[in-house]
Amino acid sequence: MDFLFEGSTIGYEPNETVLDALLRHGHDIPHRCKVGACQSCLMQSKGNPAPAAATAGLSDDLVEKGYFLACKADPGAIGESRLPAEPPFQVLRATVREHTMLTADVLLLRVELMEAVDWRCGQFVKLRVGDVERSYSIAELTDGTVVTLHIRLIPGGAMGESLRNGVVVGTELDVVGPFGSCVYRAASPEQPILMIASGTGLAPIYGILIEALERGHTGPIEIFHGGATLERLYFAEELKALAMSRPNVRYVPCVDDGPPDLARIASPLGAALEDHPRLGGWRVYVCGHPELVRHAKRKTYIAGADLSSIHADPFVDQSAA
Amino acid sequence: MSELFQQIGGEAAVNLAVDNFYRRVLADDRICDFFDGVDMDKQAAKQKAFLTMVFGGPNNYTGKDMREGHAHLVARGLNDSHFDAVVENLGATLKDLGVADELIAQVAAIAETTRDDVLSR
């Protein structure tokens, strides 16, 4: 069995992905996570549009242009492919404008890009500080130039140490983007939306929520944010205020342990399904811990949400490269 | 296309059946673990191909495909009881879709022809 890559015939084995096969033949295909999260292995197909498994997380725009993720692609379904002539993302210089700790380990970082972009909240960017690159979701985008990120600083982590100690207001760094399709769908303003997040998974959720409200979303929006304790649930006051001022917004803080009069003692997924056992017609956004995202995708689908209406953004461990 | 496939409703029936069937197997404790770690979009596509085949529709499955595709699951303990559970879910899906018992029996018979390959016997 074989497929075409830039004019060459590449033999592949059963259960091998396009990336596996190309690497095995000695081709230098950019890649990192191998699970479809970092989007480094983006390739473009000629002819057949790629199957859903190989385009999950790519914006509709990219999918239409034949882009797919080599690490998730079945060579038999792709046919002819090549590395994109020009990467479908921008690399921009940016200056740090705000560096504020929201909790003991969550940093709010605001960077001003050197030029305006049309990226969207919920998509993610890659921050480059020195030779360390990490992906973070866009929580806010102001005037097309100021990007806000919520970053969990991992003790001992390469990026965590730089951000905690070396990066301050005025520091310059590179921002690469945009990636991903975890964004608000404006075509369905009355659709009920369920949002489930763990930790800094709130970042894309918050961005999508604000955009939904700005664009006049009238359907119910329910946000379930989970953290180990109340102290870990950053932005609780902001979300409570939003819920109070908007009749269609509901915010449910969830903790593993804490005062039951202040938060739900449950996982955000458990609480969400308890309150909404039937999700037919809902749009679901789930972001954060990969295990949570995996379970949530499965359980919300079983509860009736269409696969195409479930937008998952797993925050995979980026330290192994 | 075969008469069975036509009577069940062809590709339209497959499309209606996929979500119903896939939701059932994911919610079935007897077999859901075998679907762990598999990309859901990819799996949905496989379910579609499987349903097309057992509905008597056009397909490219060979006995070898079924064997190779399930070998790693057999290694993890896949056995007759799991196969039976899948066929049971298949029947339940078809009943949900209002397919006549007689046609359901024909579909089950086609599924049965894959048992030995699926279980590497």
Side-chain angles (χ1 to χ4, degrees):
Chain A
M1 300 176 294
D2 41 45
F3 67 102
L4 283 169
F5 169 70
E6 296 186 352
S8 311
T9 305
I10 311 283
Y12 68 93
E13 260 128 59
N15 293 323
E16 237 189 346
T17 62
V18 167
L19 180 65
D20 289 334
L22 289 174
L23 291 177
R24 191 166 51 78
H25 284 265
H27 290 283
D28 196 11
I29 310 294
H31 65 282
R32 212 153 54 80
C33 75
K34 288 198 176 184
V35 294
C38 75
Q39 302 196 6
S40 304
C41 65
L42 214 54
M43 289 181 58
Q44 208 168 6
S45 81
K46 224 170 146 189
N48 317 333
T55 59
L58 297 183
S59 63
D60 295 338
D61 182 47
L62 289 187
V63 175
E64 261 164 58
K65 295 184 179 152
Y67 284 92
F68 67 93
L69 299 176
C71 69
K72 300 289 267 179
D74 170 11
I78 298 291
E80 199 178 334
S81 62
R82 57 170 187 166
L83 282 170
E86 251 174 46
F89 51 73
Q90 299 166 266
V91 181
L92 297 173
R93 202 83 183 124
T95 309
V96 176
R97 293 301 180 210
E98 185 174 344
H99 180 292
T100 305
M101 295 304 294
L102 295 172
T103 68
D105 63 351
V106 174
L107 166 69
L108 182 145
L109 191 73
R110 274 204 174 99
V111 300
E112 185 174 354
L113 305 171
M114 62 178 289
E115 62 182 74
V117 297
D118 61 357
W119 304 350
R120 298 187 59 198
C121 290
Q123 290 191 293
F124 65 92
V125 299
K126 297 183 190 188
L127 216 63
R128 280 185 195 156
V129 177
D131 54 7
V132 183
E133 181 185 275
R134 295 288 184 264
S135 303
Y136 301 113
S137 299
I138 300 174
E140 288 176 61
L141 178 58
T142 318
D143 299 326
T145 54
V146 180
V147 173
T148 303
L149 310 172
H150 304 165
I151 301 173
R152 189 161 87 83
L153 301 179
I154 312 233
M159 182 62 91
E161 293 304 306
S162 294
L163 290 177
R164 197 186 278 280
N165 303 315
V167 169
V168 293
V169 172
T171 301
E172 279 191 17
L173 35 74
D174 284 322
V175 176
V176 188
F179 300 94
S181 63
C182 200
V183 298
Y184 175 62
R185 263 79 177 166
S188 322
E190 288 168 16
Q191 186 175 35
I193 297 177
L194 180 63
M195 310 183 106
I196 299 172
S198 70
T200 48
L202 184 69
I205 295 261
Y206 183 77
I208 295 164
L209 168 66
I210 299 301
E211 185 179 331
L213 294 174
E214 269 170 15
R215 297 176 83 157
H217 192 87
T218 53
I221 306 178
E222 309 243 327
I223 305 117
F224 292 80
H225 185 204
T229 60
L230 268 182
E231 289 69 43
R232 306 290 289 267
L233 295 182
Y234 70 93
F235 267 31
E237 295 311 309
E238 283 83 347
L239 290 167
K240 274 186 215 154
L242 263 175
M244 293 244 271
S245 66
R246 305 287 201 131
N248 59 328
V249 175
R250 182 169 166 248
Y251 164 60
V252 183
C254 303
V255 296
D256 295 341
D257 199 22
D261 52 328
L262 293 179
R264 194 91 155 250
I265 320 288
S267 81
L269 174 61
L273 290 172
E274 197 176 278
D275 292 357
H276 303 286
R278 281 199 237 285
L279 293 172
W282 285 68
R283 189 162 299 275
V284 179
Y285 292 93
V286 49
C287 310
H289 195 283
E291 278 303 290
L292 166 74
V293 171
R294 196 171 68 80
H295 283 134
K297 196 170 173 185
R298 183 183 273 213
K299 296 229 154 108
T300 55
Y301 173 63
I302 291 174
D306 285 337
L307 261 186
S308 60
S309 294
I310 303 171
H311 309 291
D313 199 353
F315 285 12
V316 298
D317 179 354
Q318 305 184 58
S319 55
Chain B
M1 69 173 118
S2 79
E3 204 187 315
L4 172 64
F5 194 53
Q6 209 161 19
Q7 285 176 311
I8 290 184
E11 201 185 332
V14 171
N15 287 331
L16 279 177
V18 161
D19 282 321
N20 184 305
F21 178 66
Y22 189 24
R23 285 186 176 119
R24 280 181 180 280
V25 301
L26 285 181
D28 189 333
D29 287 333
R30 298 171 294 180
I31 50 180
C32 61
D33 288 349
F34 291 107
F35 294 94
D36 275 350
V38 184
D39 180 284
M40 286 181 69
D41 292 289
K42 206 165 182 171
Q43 189 61 228
K46 285 191 190 179
Q47 301 298 18
K48 201 168 166 193
F50 166 66
L51 290 176
T52 304
M53 179 197 63
V54 291
F55 286 7
N59 71 90
N60 295 322
Y61 274 118
T62 63
K64 184 163 171 279
D65 289 334
M66 291 300 246
R67 213 165 264 272
E68 279 175 2
H70 293 89
H72 64 293
L73 298 181
V74 171
R76 277 175 52 196
L78 189 75
N79 63 41
D80 284 297
S81 75
H82 305 119
F83 188 93
D84 292 339
V86 170
V87 175
E88 191 186 298
N89 283 303
L90 189 52
T93 291
L94 289 170
K95 239 186 153 69
D96 268 0
L97 266 62
V99 175
D101 285 345
E102 190 221 61
L103 296 181
I104 297 182
Q106 288 184 48
V107 168
I110 297 179
E112 191 56 42
T113 64
T114 68
R115 185 186 291 265
D116 285 349
D117 284 322
V118 166
L119 297 180
S120 283
R121 287 207 286 247

